[in-house]
Amino acid sequence: MPHTQQFASDNYAGICPEALRAMEEANRGSATAYGDDPWTLRAADAFRRTFETDCELFFVFNGTAANSLALASLCQSYESIIAADIAHVETDECGAPEFFSNGAKILVGRTTNGKLTPETIRAFVLGRTDIHFPRPRAVTITQPTETGQVYTLDEIRAISATCRELGLRLHMDGARFANAIESLGCSPAEMTWQAGVDVMSFGGTKNGMAIGEAVIFFDRALAEGFDYRCKQAGQLASKMRFLSAPWAVMFETGAWRTHAAHANACARHFAQQVEALPGVEIMFPVEANGVFLKLSETLIEGLHARGWRFYTFIGGSARFMFAWDAQIARVDALAADLRALTTTDAA
Ligand SMILES: *Cc1c(COP(=O)(O)O)cnc(C)c1O
């Protein structure tokens, strides 16, 4: 039995109808293994059309693999990767980027909302240029950030210009890329290669797929040997069509955007209902599908007592994530419970 809907993570959601239909269609009969099949071709074409460029593509099982293998392909073991302090690659990948790069170090830039700046990047590169320090070679930015902020096109362009100037490659962790696209309303090309992004991890799981992320190399030369890297890391799916088919249908139907738009709208809707409540503070601007609330212990306990599950690991804030399947009635129920608790509190 499925439990009542929760907003602790966008990964609580199931598989969206389009992705499921694609897997069912891919299951009619057999196909060539290891990606040499019509579905994988169709998905790759859909990516190239969507991004308006002849990019190189790889389908892997999860975001940790996509990020860490992409970053490993950008630097040598004695080099380093500049990331924000709350970046998933730093805090939630169990050292996989360091592991798969054979020791490249992540340099952690202090931020308030997960956004790196050209100044932070510059300070790392120019601060130490001697042989004792791991030479910076790559920068990774998360779009949207782990606290739901979206880099503007100008911010991405400024970062990529700094990268070019300093000889760094730029990676984008797009675990929620679709939400960022819906937020800014620009084209995928504008947010990535046209803004100077070299490689991107594109999240399918949080967009409504069962499993799977894509690694997109806009600079094809950087993809040299990446197929071997995936295989060695245990990330080459033998029945690749079940990873790739959902992408094809998600792009062809536009579902990747409508699902993200719905998730973002639910976050805004929730934020609007709770922003004025006494004792409730929205910690970060709501620009994607997450809402982060600063709540008293009493309110947190009250919500838990009413059966709500959520994480409180970022700066003591309660995080609520809305997925493609968020039910407006449940969003309203959460807001209503919070309203009831704040009223009791005040009394
Ligand atoms: C969810 C997420 C990932 C991917 O995580 P996996 O559990 O490895 O699939 C990567 N980056 C960010 C910012 C995420 O939120």
Side-chain angles (χ1 to χ4, degrees):
M1 274 292 286
H3 60 62
T4 319
Q5 189 169 69
Q6 296 283 345
F7 303 115
S9 167
D10 27 5
N11 278 341
Y12 277 34
I15 309 169
C16 69
E18 296 82 3
L20 194 57
R21 174 158 63 78
M23 289 176 88
E24 276 165 0
E25 284 177 24
N27 197 35
R28 292 186 196 136
S30 58
T32 316
Y34 297 109
D36 199 11
D37 65 89
W39 278 105
T40 304
L41 260 182
R42 196 169 135 188
D45 279 349
F47 266 100
R48 293 185 183 118
R49 267 198 314 278
T50 304
F51 281 86
E52 305 172 73
T53 185
D54 189 22
C55 46
E56 189 69 91
L57 281 153
F58 301 87
F59 301 103
V60 298
F61 291 108
N62 64 24
T64 298
N67 284 339
S68 55
L69 295 176
L71 289 171
S73 74
L74 299 183
C75 53
Q76 301 288 336
S77 59
Y78 50 83
E79 293 178 324
S80 54
I81 300 152
I82 300 170
D85 43 9
I86 61 166
H88 198 270
V89 294
E90 164 65 10
T91 63
D92 292 279
E93 299 190 357
C94 202
E98 293 91 334
F99 178 77
F100 284 115
S101 62
N102 284 313
K105 187 179 169 70
I106 293 189
L107 305 176
V108 176
R110 296 256 305 265
T111 71
T112 48
N113 56 7
K115 274 192 188 181
L116 281 177
T117 61
E119 292 69 39
T120 309
I121 295 165
R122 195 178 296 281
F124 272 122
V125 178
L126 303 181
R128 286 282 297 271
T129 52
D130 57 272
I131 191 104
H132 306 286
F133 190 74
R135 185 169 67 188
R137 177 57 76 202
V139 170
T140 177
I141 56 176
T142 310
Q143 178 75 326
T145 70
E146 288 72 5
T147 54
Q149 274 62 68
V150 177
Y151 283 92
T152 65
L153 296 186
D154 280 342
E155 286 170 335
I156 300 171
R157 290 183 195 124
I159 287 173
S160 76
T162 307
C163 288
R164 293 285 173 274
E165 178 199 328
L166 301 172
L168 307 170
R169 297 293 190 179
L170 182 57
H171 167 260
M172 178 179 278
D173 176 352
R176 299 186 180 89
F177 183 74
N179 303 90
I181 286 290
E182 279 307 311
S183 184
L184 284 194
C186 66
S187 74
E190 286 173 310
M191 196 180 279
T192 56
W193 62 275
Q194 288 177 359
V197 174
D198 297 304
V199 187
M200 175 166 75
S201 310
F202 188 136
T205 316
K206 286 176 181 140
N207 197 206
M209 288 169 43
I211 193 169
E213 319 276 302
V215 179
I216 312 174
F217 285 87
F218 299 109
D219 179 346
R220 295 183 74 108
L222 294 172
E224 215 290 303
F226 198 77
D227 44 352
Y228 289 91
R229 206 180 272 286
C230 287
K231 174 68 190 183
Q232 186 183 48
Q235 290 290 326
L236 177 64
S238 47
K239 293 185 182 176
M240 182 70 86
R241 64 189 184 282
F242 295 107
L243 282 190
S244 58
W247 286 111
V249 176
M250 296 281 280
F251 282 128
E252 288 163 9
T253 58
W256 73 285
R257 294 197 57 156
T258 45
H259 290 327
H262 171 76
N264 288 3
C266 286
R268 283 195 307 273
H269 178 67
F270 176 65
Q272 278 160 11
Q273 291 188 76
V274 302
E275 65 192 352
L277 295 178
V280 174
E281 186 194 330
I282 297 185
M283 293 189 69
F284 302 99
V286 178
E287 298 174 358
N289 63 324
V291 179
F292 294 74
L293 300 180
K294 197 178 185 82
L295 301 175
S296 65
E297 270 311 312
T298 319
L299 284 178
I300 289 174
E301 280 164 24
L303 283 177
H304 283 156
R306 287 175 180 235
W308 293 102
R309 292 198 221 163
F310 50 93
Y311 295 110
T312 52
F313 60 91
I314 299 182
S317 68
R319 184 188 82 154
F320 297 95
M321 300 301 301
F322 303 91
W324 68 272
D325 67 341
Q327 300 153 6
I328 291 291
R330 277 298 277 172
V331 179
D332 289 343
L334 174 61
D337 274 348
L338 195 51
R339 190 178 309 116
L341 287 164
T342 55
T343 324
T344 325
D345 244 17

